Amino acid sequence: MGNFWSGRNNRASIALALCIALSGGLTGSPSWAQSETAPSETQVVPPPQFLDPETPIARAIQSEMSPDLDQGLVLHYGERAFAPVWFTEDGLTENAHLTIAAMAAANEHALNPNNYDPLGFIKRSETATSEQDWARFDIDLSVQFLRYATHLSSGRVQPNAVNKALNLFPDRPDPKNLFKAVARSEDFSAFLDSLAPQSDNYARLKRRLGQFREKAAEGGFTPIPDGEVLKPGMDDPRIAVLRQRLIEEDIPGAADHNGEAYDGALVEAVKTFQEYHGLATDGVIGKNTLAKLNIPLQEKLIQMELNMERRRWMRDDLGEFYIFSNLADQNLKVVRNGKTIHTARVVVGKPYHATPVFSDQLEYVEINPFWNVPYSIATKEYLPKLKQNASALSGKQIRVFQDGTEIAPTQVAWNSYSGGNFPFRLRQDPGDGNALGRIKFMFPNRFNIYIHDTPSKSLFSRAERAFSHGCIRVSNPFKLADVLLADVNANPGHWETIRDSEKRTVIKPAAPIEVHLTYLTAWMNKDGSTHFRKDIYGRDKVLLEALRTAMTQNL
C-alpha cells in the first residue's frame, strides 16, 4: 500500500502537524465562537488495499451520492466516473493532507475550524475499513472543502441576507469549476492560499489580528484607572500606566516619553490614538478617550474578525480609478492606479436614515444643481409645515409643481393631502442655500444616494458626522471635482468659475470612475496604523449574531 508518511505525503503531514502545534489544536476558533478541546491523537492511517482500486470504490461513491448534495459536486464526480478525489490506492493524496491542514488553520482567517471538522477526518481515516467508509469520507471531505472555499473566498454569510442595506452579492465558487481547478493545480498550497481575498487590505488585517491575539494571550492591554479629565501640561500618577497602555498598542511616540507630566511625546501619542479611533484629536483624555483606552482587547478582536468577513464580500480589484467612502469612518478617498490622490471628510446618513452599502459608477457631475426634494422628505418634513403655514417655503427657493406646472404654495389646500396622497413635486432652485450646495456627483441608483456639496459646512469639523438623510455630503467639493474631472479640464479653479456663473452645467468624466460605499469598523493602513470606528449603524451587532447563528446551524 505504501507509507503515508514518506515522500510528498510526509511533507503534507508535517504541515498538518505544525498547524496543530501552532494553533494549539485543530478546534481553535474566532473570538465570537465557542471552541472545544482538541484530541491529541493526530496519526493518519492509510485506507485499505482495494482488490480493484477503481470499480468497487467508484460504485461505493456513486451509491453515496445523496439528493441533498450540491449538484455541481455531483456533476464533478460523474465526470470523473465517480473516482475518489482525495485518495488513491497509495493512500490519501497530498492535496487531502493540505486541505485538512488548511481547514484546521481556518482561525487565521477568523473562520471556525469546527465547521469543517478536520479532526473528524483524521479519526475517520484511522477507523475506516470498507469501500463505503472511504466513499463517505471522500464525499464528505469534498463537501467540507467546498464549504471552506466558499467561506474563505466570499464570506461566511450572504451580506444582503444579513442586512438589506448591504447591497453586496459576492460570487460564490462554482463547485464544478472549483474541483476542476483542484485537479489542474500544480501547486496546491498556492491554490489554497489563492482562495482568500488577494488584497493588501485583507492581508494586513489578517496579520494584525494575529498580532492582537498574541497580545490577548499575554494578558491584553493595561487598563487606565478613572480620574479627572487629563489635559496637556498636567501631572498625574496615571501617566506611567497611560504610557504603558499606548506602548502595548504600538502607538508611535509613546515610548519616547519620560516622567509624570502629561506633555510632549505622550500628548502626541494620545492624539495619534484618538485619530486611530475616530475621536477628536485634541490630546485631552476625557470620558470618550478613556473609554476607548479601556475597551477590552477581546472586543477589538471581534471587531477585526467581523471586518475580515466584510473584506471577503468585497472585490479584490476595486478598479483603476475609484471613489471609496467608508461610512463608519465618515471619510472619502479617491484612488487612481493604486495610489490615494485625494481625501475628504464626509457627512453620512443618520442612524435612522442609514446610508446603504453598494457600488456603482460615476456618470456625471452637476454644477449649480436643482434639488428635487425626495418624496419622503416632502411629505414627512415639508408637508406638516405647509399645513401649519402655506408660506413655509418662502425664502427657501423651493417651488411647487403639479403635473409639470408650477403652482403657488398659498393656493393649495395642504390639509387635504397626506403622505399617501401627495401629487406635488418640490424643487429647490440652485444657489448658496440649496440643500445640495453648488455641486453634486451623480451615480444614479435605486437608493437615490449621491455625493454632494452642502451649505452646512460646520458639520465637517465634528468627529462624528452622521447627520444626513442618507446622501453623502463632502467637504471641499470643488477640490474633489478638480481631481475627478482632471481629464476633462485640469486648470485649477475652472469649476469654481462655472459655479460663479450661476449656470447649471453637467460634466461627464473622461474615464470610468467607480464608486464604492462601504462599511468598515476596523482596518490596518499601509503605514501599520490600526484603526477602529464606532459602529454608528449597529451593523457589527447584526453581523455578529448572523455569524453565530450560521456557526450553530453549520451553514
Side-chain angles (χ1 to χ4, degrees):
M1 188 66 189
N3 186 351
F4 256 14
W5 303 96
S6 63
R8 296 178 61 194
N9 278 339
N10 188 46
R11 292 198 301 274
S13 301
I14 291 172
L16 175 58
L18 283 174
C19 170
I20 295 169
L22 292 173
S23 67
L26 289 175
T27 54
S29 58
S31 299
W32 46 265
Q34 295 287 335
S35 63
E36 300 173 359
T37 302
S40 59
E41 183 65 43
T42 60
Q43 184 179 5
V44 178
V45 179
Q49 176 89 34
F50 296 116
L51 296 176
D52 184 340
E54 301 233 2
T55 304
I57 192 62
R59 289 175 180 170
I61 289 174
Q62 187 171 11
S63 71
E64 292 292 333
M65 288 285 113
S66 165
D68 297 331
L69 283 177
D70 186 286
Q71 288 305 299
L73 187 57
V74 174
L75 286 172
H76 175 69
Y77 271 103
E79 287 184 355
R80 54 188 288 118
F82 299 99
V85 173
W86 304 105
F87 63 88
T88 68
E89 65 273 15
D90 294 323
L92 290 185
T93 64
E94 181 179 18
N95 288 0
H97 284 288
L98 292 172
T99 295
I100 294 171
M103 294 191 302
N107 192 30
E108 295 177 2
H109 293 275
L111 297 172
N112 188 355
N114 289 331
N115 287 125
Y116 318 112
D117 195 26
L119 268 185
F121 287 109
I122 294 175
K123 292 179 180 178
R124 290 169 64 180
S125 68
E126 296 170 353
T127 58
T129 57
S130 67
E131 286 100 345
Q132 294 301 135
D133 290 342
W134 284 103
R136 285 191 292 270
F137 175 95
D138 200 85
I139 293 170
D140 289 347
L141 185 52
S142 292
V143 169
Q144 294 292 10
F145 172 69
L146 174 59
R147 175 179 290 152
Y148 169 77
T150 299
H151 292 172
L152 184 56
S153 63
S154 57
R156 189 78 176 81
V157 295
Q158 290 279 29
N160 193 248
V162 170
N163 187 333
K164 294 302 179 185
L166 308 179
N167 294 276
L168 301 172
F169 304 91
D171 292 332
R172 315 294 266 182
D174 175 78
K176 189 175 177 182
N177 292 335
L178 177 67
F179 279 91
K180 281 185 177 179
V182 170
R184 292 194 302 265
S185 174
E186 295 182 0
D187 184 342
F188 194 66
S189 290
F191 174 75
L192 288 171
D193 290 340
S194 75
L195 295 174
Q198 299 299 294
S199 71
D200 290 340
N201 289 301
Y202 181 86
R204 287 195 297 266
L205 188 58
K206 175 176 175 285
R207 182 170 69 253
R208 195 60 162 158
L209 174 63
Q211 292 167 348
F212 270 39
R213 282 173 171 171
E214 290 178 4
K215 291 179 184 292
E218 294 167 359
F221 294 148
T222 301
I224 309 296
D226 287 336
E228 64 177 318
V229 173
L230 188 56
K231 299 179 180 180
M234 295 175 61
D235 290 340
D236 195 290
R238 297 174 294 169
I239 293 299
V241 179
L242 172 62
R243 184 169 51 241
Q244 178 61 30
R245 166 66 182 83
L246 295 174
I247 291 172
E248 290 168 352
E249 196 163 347
D250 301 324
I251 303 299
D256 298 331
H257 180 265
N258 293 299
E260 293 188 0
Y262 180 44
D263 58 11
L266 190 57
V267 173
E268 294 307 309
V270 168
K271 289 181 179 180
T272 300
F273 175 89
Q274 290 171 328
E275 177 192 347
Y276 290 179
H277 291 77
L279 300 169
T281 55
D282 54 13
V284 175
I285 302 179
K287 179 179 64 175
N288 291 337
T289 298
L290 184 63
K292 293 293 185 183
L293 285 164
N294 285 333
I295 288 177
L297 183 50
Q298 188 71 8
E299 291 187 21
K300 289 194 169 187
L301 292 179
I302 291 174
Q303 200 169 4
M304 296 170 81
E305 290 163 357
L306 296 177
N307 284 278
M308 286 188 68
E309 174 75 1
R310 290 186 175 116
R311 287 288 183 184
R312 286 190 281 267
W313 299 341
M314 298 168 64
R315 288 165 28 198
D316 291 341
D317 183 2
L318 297 179
E320 294 183 2
F321 193 9
Y322 64 87
I323 301 167
F324 185 96
S325 183
N326 181 0
L327 307 175
D329 185 32
Q330 297 145 58
N331 276 285
L332 170 153
K333 66 179 180 179
V334 180
V335 178
R336 192 162 199 173
N337 298 323
K339 294 184 178 180
T340 298
I341 58 175
H342 179 71
T343 60
R345 287 190 161 208
V346 299
V347 171
V348 301
K350 304 172 186 177
Y352 48 91
H353 288 300
T355 306
V357 170
F358 66 99
S359 294
D360 214 302
Q361 191 170 89
L362 184 72
E363 293 189 11
Y364 64 92
V365 176
E366 185 174 344
I367 300 175
N368 294 320
F370 290 107
W371 180 42
N372 291 300
V373 182
Y375 187 86
S376 61
I377 297 177
T379 55
K380 294 179 181 179
E381 296 188 18
Y382 285 111
L383 180 57
K385 296 177 181 178
L386 288 165
K387 286 183 177 182
Q388 292 181 356
N389 178 8
S391 298
L393 301 180
S394 177
K396 299 182 182 296
Q397 288 75 51
I398 295 178
R399 301 183 185 188
V400 179
F401 295 85
Q402 184 175 18
D403 298 327
T405 302
E406 184 176 0
I407 58 177
T410 55
Q411 302 301 310
V412 178
W414 294 108
N415 286 312
S416 301
Y417 298 98
S418 65
N421 173 31
F422 191 80
F424 308 103
R425 178 170 62 88
L426 306 187
R427 190 188 76 184
Q428 188 175 38
D429 291 336
D432 289 335
N434 187 287
L436 305 183
R438 290 302 197 113
I439 187 170
K440 65 179 182 179
F441 304 83
M442 296 299 294
F443 36 102
N445 54 80
R446 65 186 180 90
F447 313 105
N448 199 27
I449 297 295
Y450 43 92
I451 298 169
H452 64 85
D453 184 17
T454 176
S456 303
K457 309 292 187 184
S458 62
L459 295 177
F460 293 116
S461 64
R462 301 195 184 187
E464 291 187 15
R465 301 179 295 279
F467 297 106
S468 82
H469 287 87
C471 282
I472 297 174
R473 307 173 191 172
V474 63
S475 60
N476 300 316
F478 282 90
K479 177 61 177 176
L480 177 61
D482 285 340
V483 172
L484 296 178
L485 301 175
D487 294 340
V488 179
N489 190 306
N491 295 322
H494 176 74
W495 309 114
E496 286 93 332
T497 301
I498 294 177
R499 173 199 63 194
D500 296 342
S501 74
E502 304 289 339
K503 181 181 178 181
R504 179 176 172 271
T505 305
V506 174
I507 310 102
K508 292 187 176 181
I513 304 174
E514 296 196 58
V515 181
H516 303 288
L517 306 187
T518 64
Y519 191 83
L520 299 167
T521 58
W523 69 92
M524 182 178 179
N525 282 337
K526 294 177 183 178
D527 62 5
S529 60
T530 308
H531 293 253
F532 298 89
R533 292 296 181 269
K534 180 180 177 181
D535 181 20
I536 58 172
Y537 294 156
R539 290 175 179 170
D540 278 0
K541 181 179 179 181
V542 173
L543 178 55
L544 178 60
E545 185 59 34
L547 288 171
R548 284 174 171 163
T549 299
M551 186 187 69
T552 56
Q553 296 177 355
N554 203 25
L555 297 176

